[in-house]
Amino acid sequence: MIINMLLVFPILACIFLFLFKQEKLNNFFVIAYAVLHTILSGYYFFNESDRFAGKYFHIDNSNILFLVVLSVVFLAVAFYNKRYMKLEEVNVRRKRHYTYMLLVFVMAMTGVIVSNNLGLSWVLVEATTLASAYLIYFSKTKNSIEAAWKYVFICSIGIALAFVGIILLTIATGDLNSLNFYDLILNAKTFNHFWLKLSFIFLLFGIGTKMGLAPVYFWLPDAHSEAPSPASALLSAALLNSAFFVILKVFNIVVTAGCADYAKIMMLVMGFLSLFVAAVFIYHINNYKRMLAYSSIENMGILIIGSAIGGVGLFAAMVHLIGHSLIKASFFMTSGNILEIYGTKKIKKVNGLLTVDKKTGWLWILSMVGITAFPPSILFISEFLMVKAMFEKEQYFFCILFLLLLTIVLYGLAKAVLNMSYGDIAQEKKDALVQNVDKLTISMYLPQICLLALAFILGIYIPLNLDELIQLSIFGL
């Protein structure tokens, strides 16, 4: 099957890199895998008749949207990564190890999305942890080592909780003896409700750890802020989506079994708690990469809230997933430009960005405009539809709380971004910074331009086939 190429290619590439050890092959294989990933996901996107359901892997209406989003983000990151890694002053061996882990990381995320078995999904989620841990540790500073250990420790606890949830689910299934998603959905109405509800708690908290939901988000700010910017973009715009996909599949099983109200309450609590945590920390943040990490927590909260609301809310969550992935990847890659120019992650030490580098400055501002859902950002549509869904269901308290927390986040993000973009800067300092700007090439601007352009175009017009795919993905879960 064609899908096997997405899972086998990175392994073969790693073997080839190990045997030949040529630096120029690092970027070649990353870009080649990104192009292959995009071509194959695009093929399945446009050829519905060729999608398939295998015993362990499948591509259908439920996961093709997630696969396409991963492809688009990875393609942009791959081209940005080419120049970014050339600017990293590390030896060839470390760059090769970085390439190994980047390829395996994307392979594992792809596996999570196309997996047709909850047990296999669990294994592949753990594989994403092991692969991305090195990416977080890459700079080998005290903070990066601490972040990597915290990431492995907390996510391992989450994976352990998810494993307990799977065991409890097998008890709930009785004599079914299968973790295939199709089998679980087909027989869900016969499951024991007590064990199923208990299983959902463990799975939500366990996989929710990887998704970055409060109160199990503690690894995320450190990991995203310490990883190289291309890895941060993948962590935020791709890894969190993969975990969200698994939660949606489990949630669908619980809904089919007749325990929807119980599951929705749990998800709403975690969703609004995530928004609250993001609002509190973003308001007082002094590290722009950590700021973006907390923004990811906020947006994962929005996704889980929309899913719990259901109906229009679930459609809005899928639209929001697309927009967040495109814009947040752009945001993190642009933060890499700022770090390269200023050499600091402190918000207070960055000012006059538009004066120093207009391209990076405007990308920074437009990323903020997009992520805070100003029109024509696609996130304006998703958040508007989510508010509409709350009104339709007469959930007025949730609606007010939702808008209040989003407003606080908007203020915190806008204040930080605008303070960094504007302001006076001494001529001597400006001359020194401009020398750093000269190191940046078009490949460190163009990926963000393309992602933001796509996010804003979709905010004005969503093509009919994409709209149909979003709706089909909801029914296919």
Side-chain angles (χ1 to χ4, degrees):
M1 291 182 291
I2 299 176
I3 192 63
N4 290 337
M5 295 174 64
L6 291 180
L7 304 176
V8 173
F9 179 88
I11 297 175
L12 296 178
C14 289
I15 294 172
F16 200 89
L17 284 171
F18 176 77
L19 293 175
F20 293 95
K21 297 181 173 62
Q22 295 183 26
E23 184 178 2
K24 62 182 180 181
L25 292 176
N26 292 339
N27 289 322
F28 171 79
F29 279 118
V30 171
I31 293 175
Y33 187 33
V35 171
L36 175 66
H37 207 289
T38 305
I39 291 172
L40 294 184
S41 63
Y43 172 80
Y44 285 115
F45 175 80
F46 290 108
N47 295 276
E48 185 176 352
S49 59
D50 289 336
R51 298 174 195 170
F52 63 92
K55 184 177 181 180
Y56 295 107
F57 298 107
H58 72 133
I59 292 183
D60 60 11
N61 293 330
S62 70
N63 63 6
I64 185 61
L65 179 64
F66 287 80
L67 189 63
V68 169
V69 170
L70 172 58
S71 293
V72 172
V73 170
F74 180 38
L75 184 64
V77 169
F79 281 97
Y80 179 88
N81 181 76
K82 179 180 179 181
R83 179 61 182 171
Y84 184 91
M85 289 309 297
K86 286 185 178 179
L87 296 176
E88 287 289 306
E89 297 179 354
V90 297
N91 60 47
V92 176
R93 184 168 175 267
R94 279 174 61 186
K95 289 183 180 181
R96 187 169 63 253
H97 291 170
Y98 171 90
T99 305
Y100 291 156
M101 293 301 103
L102 190 66
L103 292 170
V104 174
F105 180 42
V106 176
M107 179 197 71
M109 289 189 290
T110 303
V112 172
I113 292 172
V114 301
S115 171
N116 194 29
N117 183 285
L118 181 57
L120 181 59
S121 296
W122 178 86
V123 172
L124 291 166
V125 167
E126 176 64 3
T128 64
T129 302
L130 298 176
S132 54
Y134 180 83
L135 302 178
I136 297 167
Y137 165 71
F138 178 72
S139 63
K140 295 190 177 182
T141 63
K142 179 182 178 182
N143 289 336
S144 66
I145 294 171
E146 180 182 342
W149 276 112
K150 183 184 290 188
Y151 172 60
V152 172
F153 179 72
I154 294 176
C155 287
S156 294
I157 293 175
I159 289 296
L161 291 174
F163 183 71
V164 173
I166 292 173
I167 293 173
L168 294 173
L169 179 61
T170 59
I171 297 174
T173 61
D175 298 327
L176 180 59
N177 195 30
S178 174
L179 288 175
N180 182 283
F181 284 121
Y182 292 129
D183 292 339
L184 292 172
I185 290 292
L186 187 64
N187 296 276
K189 293 182 180 179
T190 66
F191 293 171
N192 183 293
H193 284 194
F194 171 79
W195 291 110
L196 182 61
K197 290 179 179 179
L198 193 59
S199 168
F200 183 74
I201 294 175
F202 280 90
L203 284 165
L204 180 61
F205 273 81
I207 304 299
T209 302
K210 289 292 292 190
M211 188 178 169
L213 294 173
V216 285
Y217 68 91
F218 298 104
W219 66 270
L220 194 149
D222 292 315
H224 287 212
S225 65
E226 292 302 324
S229 293
S232 295
L234 286 174
L235 284 166
S236 184
L239 174 63
L240 306 187
N241 293 349
S242 302
F244 174 56
F245 178 72
V246 177
I247 290 175
L248 279 182
K249 299 292 282 188
V250 175
F251 174 60
N252 192 32
I253 295 169
V254 177
V255 170
T256 306
C259 303
D261 292 340
Y262 170 82
K264 288 178 180 179
I265 291 172
M266 297 288 297
M267 292 168 69
L268 284 171
V269 169
M270 293 187 76
F272 277 104
L273 187 58
S274 298
L275 261 65
F276 175 76
V277 167
V280 170
F281 281 97
I282 287 177
Y283 188 80
H284 297 289
I285 205 77
N286 191 35
N287 180 312
Y288 55 84
K289 287 198 72 177
R290 289 179 70 88
M291 176 183 72
L292 302 187
Y294 280 108
S295 172
S296 295
I297 295 171
E298 172 221 357
N299 283 280
M300 292 305 105
I302 292 173
L303 291 182
I304 214 74
I305 289 170
S307 303
I309 294 171
V312 176
L314 182 54
F315 178 87
M318 292 301 178
V319 173
H320 198 89
L321 178 140
I322 297 171
H324 172 256
S325 299
L326 298 175
I327 299 168
K328 188 54 64 63
S330 170
F331 226 158
F332 266 113
M333 287 188 284
T334 305
S335 76
N337 290 9
I338 297 173
L339 183 58
E340 186 63 37
I341 296 169
Y342 287 84
T344 180
K345 299 174 187 175
K346 299 294 183 182
I347 293 173
K348 292 181 180 179
K349 293 185 179 181
V350 178
N351 68 317
L353 181 57
L354 282 171
T355 304
V356 175
D357 184 7
K358 285 187 177 181
K359 294 188 289 294
T360 296
W362 281 114
L363 286 172
W364 191 238
I365 292 173
L366 289 174
S367 294
M368 181 273 293
V369 169
I371 209 68
T372 52
F374 279 103
S377 170
I378 187 176
L379 296 189
F380 174 77
I381 296 176
S382 63
E383 293 182 10
F384 175 83
L385 290 175
M386 218 163 286
V387 171
K388 178 185 177 183
M390 292 178 191
F391 266 98
E392 288 179 347
K393 295 179 180 291
E394 298 182 349
Q395 298 171 334
Y396 302 121
F397 173 76
F398 287 155
C399 184
I400 293 171
L401 182 60
F402 183 76
L403 291 173
L404 176 63
L405 293 173
L406 289 187
T407 302
I408 296 172
V409 171
L410 183 155
Y411 174 78
L413 279 169
K415 180 180 69 172
V417 169
L418 294 178
N419 284 341
M420 293 169 65
S421 301
Y422 293 94
D424 297 326
I425 184 169
Q427 187 62 42
E428 292 182 2
K429 182 179 179 181
K430 179 182 175 181
D431 293 339
L433 295 175
V434 168
Q435 292 180 1
N436 293 332
V437 174
D438 293 337
K439 299 177 184 177
L440 308 183
T441 62
I442 188 64
S443 65
M444 297 185 75
Y445 300 107
L446 189 59
Q448 298 97 298
I449 293 171
C450 293
L451 292 177
L452 288 175
L454 184 57
F456 289 134
I457 290 171
L458 291 175
I460 298 171
Y461 171 71
I462 297 179
L464 182 61
N465 59 345
L466 179 58
D467 180 75
E468 291 176 350
L469 181 62
I470 296 171
Q471 296 189 49
L472 288 172
S473 69
I474 295 171
F475 294 113
L477 287 169

